[in-house]
Amino acid sequence: MSEKRALGLLIQFLRLAKNLTRTQLEELADLPVRSLSIIEPGIRDVDALELQRVASALDLTLDDLVPKQVGKNGQQNRIGDGLTRSTRKSQ
């Protein structure tokens, strides 16, 4: 499963746990209409600002949405590390 898909599924799970529709979460997170319909299935990446807005709208921290995983070398990595690096390059 891709990182985009895994993150999208996590957002969907947390949204449903709060009994929110996609439209409601988009409004709370100040996201463009229908953003979640392409983020949740992993069709497109989520940028750092969108991820922060989603976390805040769900009363979570960014760390809650980007959990750590342990790699084969035993080092902890964030699932969204690639996202953070690509966002920094564009600044």
Side-chain angles (χ1 to χ4, degrees):
M1 178 182 312
S2 73
E3 290 179 8
K4 288 189 298 188
R5 180 67 176 132
L7 183 57
L9 285 174
L10 177 60
I11 291 170
Q12 180 181 37
F13 174 81
L14 295 168
R15 173 180 62 78
L16 292 173
K18 297 267 187 179
N19 293 313
L20 295 171
T21 65
R22 284 179 174 167
T23 302
Q24 289 170 324
L25 181 54
E26 288 164 346
E27 289 173 2
L28 289 169
D30 195 26
L31 296 176
V33 175
R34 292 189 284 286
S35 294
L36 291 174
S37 67
I38 55 177
I39 291 170
E40 287 182 349
I43 296 170
R44 85 160 173 86
D45 288 319
V46 184
D47 69 38
L49 180 58
E50 289 173 323
L51 200 55
Q52 180 60 53
R53 288 177 177 173
V54 168
S56 180
L58 293 170
D59 296 321
L60 301 169
T61 66
L62 195 53
D63 284 339
D64 294 327
L65 287 181
V66 187
K68 291 181 180 178
Q69 65 181 15
V70 178
K72 291 180 183 176
N73 61 3
Q75 185 176 3
Q76 286 190 346
N77 301 309
R78 292 207 173 275
I79 291 174
D81 274 350
L83 172 93
T84 305
R85 283 192 293 275
S86 65
T87 303
R88 280 193 212 127
K89 288 179 187 175
S90 67
Q91 291 181 350

